[in-house]
Amino acid sequence: GRTLHGVDLGSAHAAFLDWLVGVVRSEKVSAVLVAGDVYDRAFPSTESVALLESALVRLCQLTTVIVTPGNHDSAIRLGFGSDLFRDRLVVRARPLDAATPVVIPDADGRDGLLVYPVPYLDPDASRVSLASWAAEPLHRSHASAMGAVLGRVASDLESRRQRARTPSVLMAHAFVGGGAASDSERDIRVGGVDAVPAALFAGSGLDYVA
């Protein structure tokens, strides 16, 4: 749904998706992780929805695809039907599902990778949905919400690693302190409410944070 100076970028997006499918096929990629933004707006055009559907169909014939919404997406719309999806398409749009990993099997069918998908944690909405995870009310900040999620992820990871040392990845749509925002980002900054300190991820036991 993105445009550039009024010019529709649908053909460029289609070309990129063709390239992506080709890479997944040639490299035998085990999983494609899409950490939002899938769409540029909460109400995407029918053409954008059709393009995404076509791309997911082709990708899921080759690999596992894990998708979370970003701050430009509508989490409710993107997450519609997620409980019906099986096998190769996983859409995680609810913060309370973030501490349950998607398990990617290795070549022998054993647990090869744990992927913890974290959707964009809106400072207002997520502090309500994550209230059951916190001992006290969460502060209105992205960092507070992410901290609550990371605590649950670390606990889940620790319990799993008592059985086996499986590599882990956390994929998140977040504004991490020290990163540079692009011109396309919608500014939601109110005294740092949007920022997540990079140090928050330290000590979680995760092998990689995307």
Side-chain angles (χ1 to χ4, degrees):
R2 190 92 175 125
T3 61
L4 180 64
H5 296 293
V7 177
D8 180 71
L9 296 180
S11 60
H13 295 150
F16 164 75
L17 292 168
D18 288 341
W19 171 85
L20 179 61
V21 171
V23 170
V24 170
R25 179 183 294 110
S26 63
E27 300 296 329
K28 297 180 173 58
V29 171
S30 299
V32 174
L33 313 186
V34 186
D37 292 307
V38 178
Y39 298 118
D40 187 50
R41 53 185 58 86
F43 299 96
S45 68
T46 55
E47 292 82 7
S48 296
V49 174
L51 182 59
L52 175 65
E53 180 183 33
S54 172
L56 290 176
V57 167
R58 289 187 291 159
L59 286 169
C60 288
Q61 291 172 346
L62 303 169
T63 190
T64 297
V65 182
I66 305 172
V67 181
T68 60
N71 60 306
H72 288 202
D73 298 308
S74 165
I76 294 175
R77 287 174 175 80
L78 192 65
F80 174 78
S82 59
D83 290 337
L84 302 175
F85 301 150
R86 293 293 183 270
D87 300 326
R88 289 189 160 184
L89 177 59
V90 180
V91 178
R92 291 285 179 84
R94 295 184 293 260
L96 287 174
D97 294 334
T100 302
V102 179
V103 182
I104 306 297
D106 62 16
D108 299 319
R110 295 174 296 192
D111 293 355
L113 178 68
L114 303 175
V115 179
Y116 292 91
V118 182
Y120 174 68
L121 301 173
D122 177 83
D124 288 315
S126 59
R127 68 197 295 241
V128 175
S129 61
L130 295 172
S132 61
W133 282 4
E136 56 187 30
L138 296 175
H139 296 292
R140 182 186 174 272
S141 70
H142 200 162
S144 180
M146 185 65 74
V149 168
L150 285 173
R152 283 299 179 110
V153 167
S155 178
D156 180 84
L157 189 57
E158 183 180 9
S159 65
R160 291 174 185 274
R161 285 185 170 167
Q162 291 176 1
R163 303 187 295 273
R165 178 61 171 82
T166 306
S168 61
V169 169
L170 183 134
M171 56 177 281
H173 192 93
F175 299 93
V176 179
S182 72
D183 293 338
S184 68
E185 290 300 336
R186 294 172 188 158
D187 195 343
I188 63 166
R189 286 172 291 183
V190 181
V193 70
D194 66 310
V196 176
L200 196 65
F201 299 97
S204 61
L206 293 158
D207 294 295
Y208 191 82
V209 177

